[in-house]
Amino acid sequence: MNKLHRVAFILKLQSGDHIDEYEKRHTPIWPELTEVFVQQGVRNYSIFLDESSLQLFGYAEVESLSQWEAIAETGVCRKWWDYMGEMMETNPDSSPKAVPLREVFHHEC
């Protein structure tokens, strides 16, 4: 297998009232979205919540950064953004406001 790329980012919920619904909508995510992830080389994808700040920390391991970015162009992804948008801080195109994080340390065991 080729080397996986690690991507990480921060998102934010609009309100603490959305925590339970956010989790519910991810349990499970739509099968069509899972299929896109697999097709685009996503191998692991996790989202963590800091309840005190309402920040969501996303982490994914992907085969290709260009494939990862291409997910945003799929119809199912755009539909997911619309579905989740009422709970999250979003951009004018309905995409979640995401702050990319730069990796400063990694240790492979």
Side-chain angles (χ1 to χ4, degrees), residues 2 4 6 8 21 25 32 35 38 44-45 47 49 51 61 63-64 78 80 86 89 100:
N2 294 334
L4 294 177
R6 293 176 298 278
E21 184 63 20
R25 291 185 187 191
E32 309 94 313
E35 186 176 313
V38 170
N44 291 298
Y45 190 172
I47 301 173
L49 170 66
E51 290 189 42
E61 295 175 345
E63 292 177 2
S64 160
R78 298 212 173 234
W80 180 261
E86 65 188 301
E89 293 183 356

Side-chain angles (χ1 to χ4, degrees), residues 20-39:
D20 290 340
E21 184 63 20
Y22 183 87
E23 287 187 72
K24 179 181 170 188
R25 291 185 187 191
H26 282 81
T27 311
I29 62 168
W30 300 338
E32 309 94 313
L33 191 54
T34 298
E35 186 176 313
V36 166
F37 289 160
V38 170
Q39 291 170 350

